[in-house]
Amino acid sequence: MEDDKLLDRLDVSESVLDEKKARRLIWRSRFALWRNIAQTLLAIWFFYTLYMIAIQIGYAKLNKEDDLVRYASTLIETHYAGLKVDKLGHTPVSLSPWLTQETTLTLYKQLGKWEEIVGTVTVKKPLWGKLEYEIHYQQKQLDERNGTFRFALPLSLLGQKPLDERREQDELWEQLAHMEDGYVAEMAFSTLQPYEPMQLYKLLEKYDLYLLQMAVYGGELKTFKPTLTRSESTVYVPNLVLRPAVHYSEGGSMSLEKAMSLPESVEDAKNQLIPDLEWMQSYAPDVFDAYDEKRLTYLREKGIVVYGAVVTGPVRELEKLRAETGLHEFQLGRIAVWNW
């Protein structure tokens, strides 16, 4: 009997030892599993870091950052009347693991001698596929105005009889009349007849205003049919914008921007438009690509004519433009305190 009791005790002790060994094995297995997972994750993170460092270094050596900024600024400033892009200083461009380039640029308007921030534009260029961009406006009012302007096509460009006289905009001029002298504003207008850029510059030269941009005719509705908006006898189409000439360094960054304040600076702007569009076409397609290719063909053959402009200056000086009977479809933009 005593031997049986001893055997029972031994069996119990061995089962306890076996259970402890099993638990130790389980915990060792769990520890080894988590250790392997941690080592794998660490290795993935290490190689991912090396990969990102390598592609960032390679991207920097290729000097491609400035190209994306140049493309974005050229796209906005040649297709959105009234908007300018902040190109000064270094703009960081991020690169995703899938080699998608992305940057965000500040949008502004010139009001008098100051610049007012009105939003941002984010541009993404994937390794394959179409470049994408998105504009985010900082609106001052709860309406659909986003600060850009549109221009009425002169009917003579379409082979039609020009308007006999312009439609007067008494409400706009009354609004200006109620403003005190201590304000500046931006204004856009169209022309009843097409002009050479220098002709329109000469017409505006006598006024104390800054000429910011001009609307360029690129063969719309004559050699191709883009989307259009019609109001009575007025036709609006997506238009090109003649902007001040921008010079770039060999690396692609902006080195100089000339305001259209002198005859030679207007000529520089005119001479740069076609090369700008050609460079955009070679760099990446965009949503305007179908139009721009046709516009380029037209501009190379016919040259550059304009049919509107964006200006800024004191409100009393803007009022004087009403006396120019060849101007019509005036649009008043943002207003700021005197800074002239």
Side-chain angles (χ1 to χ4, degrees), residues 55-71 90-91 93 101 249-253 279 283:
I55 63 173
Q56 291 287 357
I57 292 174
Y59 182 63
K61 287 185 176 181
L62 290 173
N63 293 321
K64 294 300 183 182
E65 290 186 353
D66 292 327
D67 283 349
L68 185 63
V69 174
R70 176 180 175 180
Y71 183 89
H90 175 70
T91 302
V93 177
Q101 305 169 49
S249 65
E250 291 184 2
S253 61
W279 185 87
Y283 180 74

Side-chain angles (χ1 to χ4, degrees), residues 191-288:
T191 62
L192 291 173
Q193 294 286 351
Y195 284 80
E196 292 286 333
M198 189 57 66
Q199 288 178 319
L200 188 53
Y201 168 81
K202 290 293 185 183
L203 184 148
L204 298 171
E205 191 177 21
K206 57 191 172 188
Y207 300 104
D208 186 20
L209 298 168
Y210 282 160
L211 173 59
L212 302 178
Q213 297 166 324
M214 300 187 202
V216 176
Y217 180 66
E220 294 87 357
L221 299 182
K222 189 173 184 180
T223 59
F224 69 98
K225 293 185 178 180
T227 57
L228 63 90
T229 304
R230 197 178 288 271
S231 174
E232 297 180 356
S233 58
T234 306
V235 179
Y236 302 93
V237 295
N239 61 274
L240 283 176
V241 178
L242 185 67
R243 63 170 182 164
V246 180
H247 296 276
Y248 298 94
S249 65
E250 291 184 2
S253 61
M254 188 199 79
S255 59
L256 178 66
E257 183 174 4
K258 288 186 175 181
M260 288 193 287
S261 56
L262 297 170
E264 53 266 33
S265 61
V266 175
E267 284 297 317
D268 284 345
K270 176 182 173 181
N271 293 334
Q272 190 183 349
L273 179 61
I274 291 178
D276 274 345
L277 295 176
E278 290 173 338
W279 185 87
M280 287 176 59
Q281 292 278 310
S282 65
Y283 180 74
D286 58 74
V287 296
F288 296 95

